[in-house]
Amino acid sequence: MNTSNGQVRVRFAPSPTGFFHIGGARTALFNWLYARHCGGTFVLRIEDTDKKRDSEEALRVLIDGMKWLGLDWDEGPEVGGPHEPYFQSKRSEIYAEYLQQLRDCGRAYDRDGAVWFRVSGSMSQIDDKIRGKVQRLEEKDFVIVRSDGQPVFHFVNVVDDIAMGISHVIRGEDHLSNSSKHVELFLAFGRQPPTFAHIPLILKTNGPGKMSKRDSGALIEDYAGRNYLPEAVRNYLCLLGWSPKDDREILPIEEIIALFDLPGINKNNARFDEKKLAHINGEYLRRMAFDDFYSRAIPLLRNAGLVDDSSDGAYVRSVLGICQEKLRELAELEHFCAYFFRDDYQRDATAEGKIISSGNSLASVGEFLAALWELGDRWDVESLEQFTQKLAATNGRKTGDYIHSIRFAVSGQSVGPGFYAMVAVIGKDRTVKRLENFLRQYSAGNP
Ligand code: GLU
């Protein structure tokens, strides 16, 4: 069937478990990057011999996750498509043929109803592209077909790597200890083992353990559900164990493909950092063309009931225009901008505590309101900024006193879009009403 002929042929070989863990996604990504870097072939092979566990739904999660991350494969399952060649569950004839080869050369025999592989007794050595030289002696014969007729992972994994002409096996370090069994099998079939590259683990944000599916941020499908940008998640995953060797974190995928190589993969375990991922997502949001951002944001605002067909389109665009640069993730959008559309917005308790304890907010809001007539019809960023600076100079205050109090009074928050832009977009009438409201409520000592 396929042979490598000096060509790079790599594969991602997931067992469908029902979720797409970031560890698996990173393995898929590194294989994909390497294939694209070398102009090779990226194969998707579904290792679904464990019938009890596998299901259509589990497969769907994987395929959707791969597509969402833009990891297109050159050979392998096209679910619902015209050909579905690489499901291990559909390759039993191939495994039977290869098993016969092992029987014929005396390397497979039956005991207790199962088929066993006879080990060679020699040390197997791999020259791992990341771990370096690894030696291990497989001392005991091992089962390759269980008594119920199910072929065992080690056997089908190696048979498929041979049958599919896989040149490089890039996979998680948890498989390093399996590689001596695999080398034994390759040699028993009279084949040179492929080049191995075992990628270090991804550790939990805190503590020594490996990320498990229960850890926050561990599943790709959750990022899709939270409207993360797939390009941002992919960019972050590239940095889990690889770097461009300078300080850059945000790189276009074409550049990563050009730079990516196996010796560049870090030998140390990578540590997962959900905050950094959110930060990178925010960077991607900021760099996105406004129209693109707008078309992703509108359905979320509609769903939240903040905009509908009767909304003022220009106003909505202005709001989104100033929120784009401050958001870290689209899931925050509703909370981040609800006050632009509703007067019954929530007040953040911590922000409120800070404002009350500052002791000058009532005076600041009062002074700002009383002097607003000076602005006349002007209500733009520049005029508001000059006005606030002049007011601060006149009253011997810091501009920050006005900024913090007024931001809280009109939005209920201590953070948000740029202050002057926010007040400019909210508009004079709404600002005045909210400031008056603030004074009424808080001077009565009744927040
Ligand atoms: N099915 C194995 C896994 O999901 C694949 C191991 C390999 O890449 O060789 O871990």
Side-chain angles (χ1 to χ4, degrees):
M1 182 184 172
N2 304 299
T3 48
S4 62
N5 294 330
Q7 286 286 310
V8 166
R9 287 180 59 83
V10 292
R11 83 307 192 266
F12 174 48
S15 312
T17 51
F19 42 84
F20 194 20
H21 189 268
I22 55 160
R26 188 201 44 174
T27 299
L29 172 65
F30 281 15
N31 276 284
W32 179 85
L33 286 171
Y34 191 58
R36 298 294 172 257
H37 174 79
C38 302
T41 301
F42 176 51
V43 172
L44 176 60
R45 177 172 86 220
I46 306 298
E47 301 212 326
D48 58 348
T49 49
D50 189 350
K51 297 228 170 56
K52 288 187 273 336
R53 211 168 54 168
D54 301 317
S55 71
E56 286 277 310
E57 175 53 25
L59 179 65
R60 175 58 50 211
V61 170
L62 257 171
I63 300 277
D64 286 353
M66 293 284 287
K67 288 189 172 164
W68 188 73
L69 286 171
L71 305 180
D72 54 326
W73 53 95
D74 307 311
E75 292 174 18
E78 270 179 43
V79 177
H83 62 96
E84 299 187 354
Y86 300 147
F87 285 93
Q88 287 190 327
S89 55
K90 298 185 181 169
R91 295 166 63 81
S92 22
E93 283 171 20
I94 298 174
Y95 305 137
E97 269 172 42
Y98 275 79
L99 183 63
Q100 193 54 48
Q101 286 183 35
L102 291 184
R103 287 185 190 281
D104 291 348
C105 65
R107 298 297 296 273
Y109 63 92
D110 296 8
R111 191 205 301 162
D112 303 332
V115 184
W116 291 70
F117 175 74
R118 193 186 308 282
V119 293
S120 66
S122 329
M123 183 75 83
S124 68
Q125 174 163 319
I126 67 166
D127 193 3
D128 192 276
K129 283 282 174 241
I130 301 164
R131 311 305 308 177
K133 290 210 185 336
V134 183
Q135 287 191 328
R136 195 181 149 109
L137 178 67
E138 249 347 287
E139 289 174 2
K140 292 191 186 143
D141 293 357
F142 55 89
V143 171
I144 49 178
V145 181
R146 284 195 282 264
S147 52
D148 63 1
Q150 279 297 312
V152 168
F153 157 68
H154 305 296
F155 174 66
V156 290
N157 183 270
V158 168
V159 168
D160 278 342
D161 283 344
I162 294 172
M164 294 173 188
I166 297 302
S167 62
H168 292 70
V169 167
I170 306 169
R171 61 186 175 189
E173 199 181 85
D174 43 341
H175 285 292
L176 185 60
S177 58
N178 293 326
S179 53
S180 48
K181 284 194 176 65
H182 297 182
V183 169
E184 283 268 353
L185 283 161
F186 278 106
L187 297 177
F189 285 116
R191 303 293 181 133
Q192 271 311 307
T195 303
F196 287 100
H198 286 92
I199 319 168
L201 303 176
I202 302 177
L203 303 179
K204 293 176 195 293
T205 309
N206 302 304
K210 167 180 152 177
M211 277 286 272
S212 90
K213 64 172 192 279
R214 283 172 296 278
D215 288 315
S216 163
L219 304 183
I220 295 299
E221 51 273 30
D222 289 350
Y223 292 107
R226 281 159 65 191
N227 288 298
Y228 262 68
L229 301 177
E231 301 82 1
V233 176
R234 186 175 62 189
N235 187 145
Y236 175 70
L237 290 179
C238 289
L239 303 176
L240 279 176
W242 176 86
S243 80
K245 301 276 177 286
D246 53 32
D247 288 340
R248 283 178 308 158
E249 289 182 335
I250 316 277
L251 287 92
I253 196 68
E254 295 74 21
E255 198 177 343
I256 296 179
I257 288 172
L259 293 171
F260 187 86
D261 206 353
L262 300 181
I265 297 176
N266 200 330
K267 288 185 179 41
N268 301 322
N269 291 333
R271 192 171 290 284
F272 180 68
D273 182 349
E274 208 172 353
K275 287 205 184 99
K276 184 163 170 183
L277 171 49
H279 165 77
I280 289 180
N281 192 65
E283 283 296 320
Y284 271 81
L285 283 173
R286 249 180 295 299
R287 293 169 191 210
M288 196 178 232
F290 175 71
D291 284 344
D292 205 359
F293 176 74
Y294 178 86
S295 54
R296 286 176 196 249
I298 286 296
L300 301 175
L301 294 184
R302 279 185 180 270
N303 255 347
L306 294 175
V307 304
D308 59 25
D309 290 342
S310 66
S311 301
D312 172 350
Y315 180 69
V316 176
R317 288 183 82 82
S318 317
V319 170
L320 289 176
I322 61 171
C323 290
Q324 181 178 3
E325 62 181 80
K326 287 288 164 70
L327 269 190
R328 287 186 323 158
E329 48 177 304
L330 281 164
E332 290 173 349
L333 184 65
E334 175 185 351
H335 176 71
F336 196 81
C337 72
Y339 61 83
F340 283 100
F341 302 102
R342 279 199 190 124
D343 289 323
D344 61 344
Y345 49 89
Q346 283 189 344
R347 290 191 175 125
D348 180 86
T350 316
E352 183 175 56
K354 270 196 231 154
I355 288 299
I356 307 281
S357 65
S358 76
N360 62 30
S361 60
L362 283 172
S364 306
V365 170
E367 286 161 15
F368 190 90
L369 200 50
L372 271 185
W373 62 269
E374 290 175 19
L375 273 171
D377 285 342
R378 288 174 297 131
W379 197 262
D380 53 81
V381 171
E382 206 173 78
S383 311
L384 283 162
E385 189 167 357
Q386 283 167 3
F387 166 79
T388 310
Q389 280 165 357
K390 191 174 145 220
L391 194 64
T394 311
N395 293 324
R397 288 190 194 279
K398 298 192 209 91
T399 46
D401 292 346
Y402 295 107
I403 290 174
H404 299 314
S405 312
I406 287 152
R407 180 188 286 285
F408 178 74
V410 299
S411 73
Q413 307 293 320
S414 59
V415 289
F419 171 72
Y420 299 110
M422 177 190 80
V423 176
V425 168
I426 282 185
K428 186 170 187 175
D429 288 352
R430 237 196 234 112
T431 300
V432 167
K433 270 198 207 110
R434 290 182 182 186
L435 296 182
E436 286 172 350
N437 203 15
F438 174 86
L439 288 179
R440 220 175 6 257
Q441 284 189 357
Y442 287 81
S443 39
N446 187 20

